[in-house]
Every structure is written in structure tokens, then in C-alpha cells.
Amino acid sequence: GADLRLAVSEACTNAIQAIDVAEQDGAVELAIRGTRPPSYTVFKLQDPPRLVVDLAGADLLALAEGDGWLYTAVDVTPIYDDHPAVDRVERELVLIMPDVLVVFDRVDSTGGQQIWQLSSPINPTVSGARATFAGSGHSLTVDRVLPAGATFSVRPWADGEYSGGYRLDGTVAGGSVRHLHVLSTDGAVTSVAAADAGGNRGVTINLTDGRTATVRFSPDAVGATLQISGGVDETLAAGVDTLPE
């Protein structure tokens, strides 16, 4: 899974470094790598069937679902345990079902670096602002829209502690930075383009099924807009809805 690491001292309660999913003995195994043993709860939801892992140290700010989309926002600043270099770390996610995930990170830090990370058992290929993880049966594409000054690099996980795997790093200097990435599977996206408007940071996504989606996020507070051709026009705001189980 994608996460964002701030290059500050290891004073945080538990910084999540990677989330790996693998098949083991006919079952799906989820491995969450952190700097410390986590405190968590696990529960299942239906329609669609899904497993929820609730890690302590993050506050849910928004949750909403509509026809063909899901939106959530979380404040993960508490994970950094009041570290003086970390002022704010918030993440908003818009899932355009079934194959596209838009990830927006609102990060304010002092000094150091900000590193947007994605771990995988597959070594990705990088071409500018796009990284592609090509498996034997499926593929994952990561398109970086923001920040423009970031650079992608790949690092192997095999360092003595882990036996294999790779990590995609998007590195940029610390400060008040907004990160915007589009993740898509199996060629679901033909192109992405920055689509800022009204002071908001956004992206327009052209899908292989002929649809166009535009997502814009407020740079300073939780909230977004979502338009998908075919009739979706939503204003997404803070607040947690009760979703069907």
C-alpha cells in the first residue's frame, strides 16, 4: 500500500512503512510493517466483502459512498507523536470503482524530506512521473500529478531484515507540500492531467471505458469535488456517513 514517510527522527509512535498482500497456503496474508508493534482491531464488512484493519493513532475525518465511488479522509498527524518537525499529515482517498484510486496527501513539515512510498513484490519501471508494476496477470500504474518537483526512485527491500520486494519512493524537500497520485490497475487509465481550479488542486482522468473523471481537493482543509461523465457531480466534505454492511 502507499504511505508517506517524513524524514525526521524516529520519535513517532508507529510509522507504517509498508503494507504487503500475498497469497499463502490458499489464504490471503496481510503484512503491515511499522516502526513498532501496532495496536489494532480487525473486522469484516459485506457488500462488497472487505476486511478492515483499524490502526490506533489516526482520526477518521470523512467517509461517504455513492454510485460508483467511495471517499474517505483521515488525519494521521497523531502517528508522529507531536514531533516538532511535523505539523500536519492528512490523506484523502477517492475510489472510482472499480479500478482507479486517487490519493491526495496534505503535508506540512519543517526541514528534512517528504517521501511518498509504495511497496510491492514487483520491481517497477519508472518513466518520468509514471511508475508501472507489471505482474504476470495484472498491472498497477502510478501517475504522480503533484508535487511537480518530486522524483521517483526504486529501492530494494532485501536489506537483511526483509527477504525481497521493492519500494517506490517519490522524494521532495520538506515544507507545505501537496501530494496527488492516481493509482490504476490493468490499463484502466489512458491519461491524467493536472486540473487545478478555484484555488483547488486537481486531476482529470481519462478512462479506457470512455468516461472522464475530475477530482479536485482543497489545499488547506478536508474536502473535494468529484465529477464523472455520465451524471456524477459531488461535493465531498468532512463527516462520517454510516455505510451499508
Side-chain angles (χ1 to χ4, degrees), residues 23-46:
E23 188 171 336
Q24 184 75 20
D25 298 328
V28 176
E29 180 179 85
L30 177 69
I32 301 176
R33 304 174 185 173
T35 55
R36 301 182 185 181
S39 173
Y40 65 93
T41 57
V42 179
F43 57 94
K44 295 180 180 180
L45 295 176
Q46 302 297 322

Side-chain angles (χ1 to χ4, degrees), residues 40-204:
Y40 65 93
T41 57
V42 179
F43 57 94
K44 295 180 180 180
L45 295 176
Q46 302 297 322
D47 297 325
R50 55 203 187 274
L51 179 70
V52 179
V53 181
D54 185 6
L55 297 173
D59 297 323
L60 183 64
L61 302 177
L63 180 64
E65 185 177 27
D67 185 14
W69 59 268
L70 177 72
Y71 167 68
T72 189
V74 62
D75 179 9
V76 296
T77 312
I79 290 177
Y80 293 90
D81 199 25
D82 295 323
H83 193 286
V86 181
D87 296 320
R88 172 168 61 174
V89 184
E90 296 172 347
R91 168 163 287 184
E92 296 184 55
L93 303 169
V94 175
L95 173 63
I96 302 171
M97 299 178 186
D99 300 318
V100 179
L101 181 66
V102 183
V103 183
F104 183 75
D105 294 296
R106 190 180 293 108
V107 185
D108 298 329
S109 65
T110 303
Q113 294 179 319
Q114 296 178 13
I115 306 174
W116 192 94
Q117 300 179 330
L118 180 66
S119 292
S120 170
I122 297 170
N123 188 4
T125 59
V126 175
S127 178
R130 168 170 283 194
T132 304
F133 300 79
S136 59
H138 299 279
S139 65
L140 172 68
T141 300
V142 180
D143 287 300
R144 185 185 70 246
V145 182
L146 294 171
T151 57
F152 272 156
S153 61
V154 180
R155 300 193 178 197
W157 269 113
D159 57 3
E161 183 178 0
Y162 303 114
S163 60
Y166 300 88
R167 191 183 76 209
L168 174 69
D169 286 359
T171 305
V172 69
S176 183
V177 183
R178 303 300 176 255
H179 303 256
L180 178 57
H181 295 80
V182 178
L183 282 64
S184 57
T185 59
D186 297 336
V189 170
T190 59
S191 65
V192 303
D196 298 348
N200 294 326
R201 313 306 303 269
V203 60
T204 292

Side-chain angles (χ1 to χ4, degrees), residues 209-221:
D209 62 10
R211 293 181 299 162
T212 299
T214 299
V215 189
R216 295 188 177 98
F217 299 89
S218 167
D220 300 315

